[in-house]
Amino acid sequence: MSLQKENRLPRQSFHSPDVADAAMKAALSVLPLHAEEGGRREIVAECELVRKITEQGIPNDVASALTYTLRRQFEALALLDPVELQKGHWTFVSFPASLFGRSLLTTLATPGQTLLPSDYWEQGDHRPDDVKEEQRVLLHRIETERARRNPEAHPIRVVHVAWALIRWGNKFLLHRREDKSRPGEKGYGMVGGRFNLSDLPPAIQSQTEILQETFKLDSTVVAQHITTTLERELEEETGMFKDKHYSSKPFGQPLPTYKAVNGAGNRHAYSAYKFHLFQIKLTSAGETHLLSRIAEHERLTWFTAAEIAAPQRADGAAAYVDALHQAWDKDLEKNLSTASDSKASKPALAGESMMLDLPGTTDAAFQLGKPGKEKSVCPINRLGEAEWQLLMLLGWHMRDFQVRLNDDAGVRLLGNGWIDAPGVVFLARSLYERIQPILPGLVEIREDRYVSISVAPDALLFSAELFRYQIQGSSTTGGVFGLARLELGTPWGRLEGNAYERNINGNTVAVLRELERGDEPAGDWERSLREQLGGGVRSVGLRRLWSTKGNVTSLVEGLKRLSGTSLP
């Protein structure tokens, strides 16, 4: 008879605990044996086991129910030979398997005995990390095998999750997962986390059936209060508070149910997840608060949509967003890109028509406008040396150029071009007062400590006076064009220089030398230079190489030849 097809427990009578204990001791005495070495083993029919147990005075219904229960336990633990079990026979697969089975049954048959300390499975931060990890390893092994070997396996854990989509340009904020770092595991998830019972109002928490309700994937109670989970997780992970720092709204419908063996620490099992996504809109205070928090905590980092969709980022960091992969598949990056930008405001200056060159000296003018049509804009009163240096620091940082701060700088560089510098706010206010009449909104100051310039990075450039160029080679053999942005010193640290080099053909060498002399090159040379050098020139902060002024074409005014033989 095949025992695998038997799904029904034998009809049972009620018996005292003493009878149950006696039944387990009787079962222990008749378990088949296995040799410690070699393959010799006993094979016993299940009906024979029931008979031997009843011969020891155990009622037949108790003996049958116990044998069925033990068989399912031993079978689930892979202790019994599955081929013999199909024939209705019991035999252990190995001597260690027989030891495990006897250890379990001996403990069950002896009142008061346990396999583990009474507090082994208790939760709480007081539990030793090695115990938690041991529990996780055990649960991971059992649950992974259960899910893998049983296509119809049911999750035993239900998790409701609130995820925040915090988008900044083409980047999304992710948070290092609370679980410990493990080889091969993806370390970053979307900001947010699991629903907790404490997210419900006390009156609902106290309801008798509330645990049953929260363990439902389609729980209406959880759905009504999942925003509380979002708010709690945002406060814990970013320090932001609703209304003061952000507002939120749902991003479409919850994702389809996602199933996986997962869970932080020892909360690890085959789980069913319900993900609720929310778009976040920051306030002005929220922007600077979040940027400050990111600078303080390595757990927060930016991923582009493409990096989230990819197996890992260039530095090896990987996003754990398997639920998004399952729900959106190849459209993951596309769907993420439909989320609204979370920034509170747009740059005051953005786009080609509002490109801005910062002045190269204290008494020079700003250059504003489309290349070739830019206009000089000059403060009524010249900038002071310290004001100009602060402007350069803000510009360098907005362009993400390297800044080497002094140890005692009193300035902290945040993301998106902001600096945290309460000690220089008085200087920033002075800079603001000089620039505001001619370039409204360019200088921003928040909370008497955060300072930035409101211009899109790709629209921000620097005066040609801060650059040096070099042409090496000949019109016959070709050569190299080099452009260097100078290093600047400020009271807060060094603004690092940078260099751009490009191999050029002989014709380009000839064109550049003609421009150097102030001669008009022949042919469609402008298009050729833009295609070859335009992107590289802009990458180090220079608007363009040449200009036409008074019908005279030449290298841009203020650009000087580099002394020496090579770029720095």
Side-chain angles (χ1 to χ4, degrees):
M1 178 184 73
S2 171
L3 297 179
Q4 297 293 91
K5 296 181 180 178
E6 184 182 325
N7 297 316
R8 208 166 37 85
L9 262 83
R11 187 168 177 268
Q12 301 178 52
S13 300
F14 291 98
H15 295 277
S16 69
D18 291 341
V19 172
D21 293 340
M24 285 187 281
K25 289 179 180 178
L28 181 63
S29 70
V30 299
L31 286 181
L33 298 172
H34 196 294
E36 188 164 341
E37 296 181 0
R40 185 71 178 272
R41 61 184 183 174
E42 290 183 342
I43 300 175
V44 183
E46 182 167 306
C47 59
E48 182 67 12
L49 291 175
V50 174
R51 185 185 67 77
K52 289 182 177 180
I53 295 172
T54 58
E55 286 179 349
Q56 299 184 47
I58 305 302
N60 185 74
D61 60 344
V62 175
S64 296
L66 175 61
T67 305
Y68 172 86
T69 303
L70 287 177
R71 186 229 303 162
R72 285 297 300 122
Q73 288 180 343
F74 288 178
E75 185 182 17
L77 292 167
L79 302 179
L80 298 176
D81 186 320
V83 174
E84 292 296 331
L85 203 57
Q86 285 284 347
K87 302 174 185 177
H89 299 153
W90 283 39
T91 184
F92 288 106
V93 297
S94 67
F95 181 68
S98 73
L99 292 179
F100 189 94
R102 280 179 162 74
S103 174
L104 176 62
L105 186 51
T106 298
T107 306
L108 294 174
T110 310
Q113 287 192 0
T114 62
L115 290 170
L116 298 167
S118 59
D119 64 347
Y120 182 78
W121 293 104
E122 285 185 7
Q123 290 180 273
D125 294 336
H126 67 284
R127 302 297 292 149
D129 288 341
D130 59 337
V131 174
K132 292 180 183 178
E133 186 63 15
E134 181 180 86
Q135 293 170 354
R136 184 189 185 281
V137 170
L138 177 61
L139 287 167
H140 180 79
R141 177 64 186 274
I142 291 173
E143 286 292 270
T144 298
E145 287 297 315
R146 184 173 73 87
R148 183 180 68 83
R149 298 178 63 84
N150 304 285
E152 302 302 320
H154 293 291
I156 59 173
R157 176 173 173 255
V158 173
V159 187
H160 302 271
V161 179
W163 267 357
L165 300 182
I166 302 177
R167 181 180 181 182
W168 201 293
N170 70 331
K171 298 178 294 185
F172 291 81
L173 187 65
L174 269 65
H175 183 268
R176 181 177 287 281
R177 297 168 68 194
E178 60 183 324
D179 211 356
K180 65 180 289 187
S181 178
R182 294 183 175 87
E185 289 204 2
K186 300 171 181 177
Y188 288 90
M190 307 301 288
V191 174
R194 295 179 298 108
F195 164 85
N196 289 337
L197 195 62
S198 61
D199 295 331
L200 297 175
I204 298 179
Q205 289 182 43
S206 62
Q207 293 177 3
T208 305
E209 303 291 327
I210 192 59
L211 282 178
Q212 294 288 336
E213 174 65 25
T214 58
F215 271 68
K216 297 176 183 177
L217 275 171
D218 59 350
S219 170
T220 55
V221 172
V222 173
Q224 290 169 1
H225 297 278
I226 195 68
T227 53
T228 305
T229 304
L230 177 75
E231 293 160 15
R232 173 179 53 77
E233 290 286 346
L234 280 171
E235 180 182 348
E236 290 175 2
E237 296 181 354
T238 69
M240 294 197 301
F241 294 92
K242 181 186 174 184
D243 298 331
K244 178 180 179 181
H245 295 125
Y246 70 91
S247 59
S248 67
K249 65 178 182 180
F251 183 68
Q253 296 298 314
L255 298 181
T257 301
Y258 173 71
K259 298 178 182 180
V261 177
N262 211 317
N266 54 4
R267 299 186 297 271
H268 197 84
Y270 186 36
S271 308
Y273 289 86
K274 190 66 166 287
F275 286 91
H276 301 256
L277 307 185
F278 295 89
Q279 294 185 111
I280 302 300
K281 187 66 176 179
L282 299 169
T283 64
S284 295
E287 278 189 356
T288 46
H289 173 92
L290 182 61
L291 293 171
S292 180
R293 183 81 169 200
I294 293 169
E296 294 169 357
H297 297 273
E298 294 181 355
R299 298 183 70 89
L300 294 166
T301 187
W302 297 104
F303 277 67
T304 65
E307 288 169 340
I308 291 174
Q312 64 180 28
R313 205 166 57 180
D315 62 0
Y320 181 65
V321 290
D322 291 7
L324 296 183
H325 283 285
Q326 175 189 277
W328 295 340
D329 196 22
K330 295 179 181 179
D331 291 330
L332 192 156
E333 183 179 349
K334 175 184 175 182
N335 287 352
L336 275 179
S337 298
T338 64
S340 301
D341 200 303
S342 299
K343 294 195 299 292
S345 57
K346 295 180 180 180
L349 303 177
E352 190 176 49
S353 64
M354 298 296 285
M355 291 179 75
L356 180 71
D357 293 10
L358 300 185
T361 61
T362 59
D363 56 355
F366 294 84
Q367 301 294 319
L368 177 66
K370 188 174 181 179
K373 297 182 179 179
E374 62 270 26
K375 297 180 179 179
S376 294
V377 181
C378 195
I380 297 174
N381 298 311
R382 61 175 286 176
L383 301 179
E385 181 70 16
E387 293 168 336
W388 177 78
Q389 289 173 328
L390 177 59
L391 180 63
M392 291 298 102
L393 171 63
L394 294 170
W396 239 256
H397 184 43
M398 179 59 74
R399 281 298 306 265
D400 205 22
F401 294 157
Q402 190 67 35
V403 177
R404 188 171 69 247
L405 292 176
N406 301 330
D407 292 338
D408 58 350
V411 169
R412 197 160 54 106
L413 303 179
L414 309 181
N416 202 46
W418 285 91
I419 67 171
D420 179 11
V424 300
V425 166
F426 72 99
L427 185 62
R429 289 200 196 99
S430 177
L431 179 64
Y432 172 89
E433 291 169 0
R434 293 186 189 278
I435 294 178
Q436 181 67 8
I438 59 167
L439 293 169
L442 178 62
V443 177
E444 283 193 87
I445 304 171
R446 294 181 185 172
E447 301 178 42
D448 279 339
R449 64 180 300 162
Y450 301 114
V451 185
S452 181
I453 51 176
S454 184
V455 53
D458 58 359
L460 177 62
L461 301 155
F462 297 85
S463 168
E465 295 178 24
L466 299 178
F467 295 85
R468 300 291 182 267
Y469 77 93
Q470 184 179 73
I471 307 167
Q472 294 179 317
S474 69
S475 58
T476 323
T477 60
V480 176
F481 171 76
L483 182 68
R485 187 183 68 249
L486 302 180
E487 181 182 85
L488 296 179
T490 74
W492 311 282
R494 303 296 298 178
L495 311 184
E496 301 280 5
N498 197 6
Y500 162 72
E501 285 189 337
R502 172 71 186 266
N503 292 328
I504 53 178
N505 58 34
N507 182 60
T508 302
V509 171
V511 168
L512 290 172
R513 293 204 185 281
E514 288 181 82
L515 289 173
E516 190 177 38
R517 294 191 300 267
D519 296 333
E520 178 75 24
D524 191 7
W525 59 270
E526 289 193 74
R527 178 180 178 182
S528 176
L529 287 189
R530 278 196 299 268
E531 292 175 350
Q532 288 185 72
L533 305 176
V537 167
R538 294 267 181 94
S539 71
V540 292
L542 181 64
R543 180 189 288 254
R544 56 181 177 161
L545 278 176
W546 67 92
S547 66
T548 302
K549 196 171 185 179
N551 294 323
V552 175
T553 301
S554 65
L555 291 178
V556 69
E557 185 178 354
L559 184 62
K560 298 179 177 62
R561 178 187 281 273
L562 183 72
S563 60
T565 58
S566 62
L567 293 174

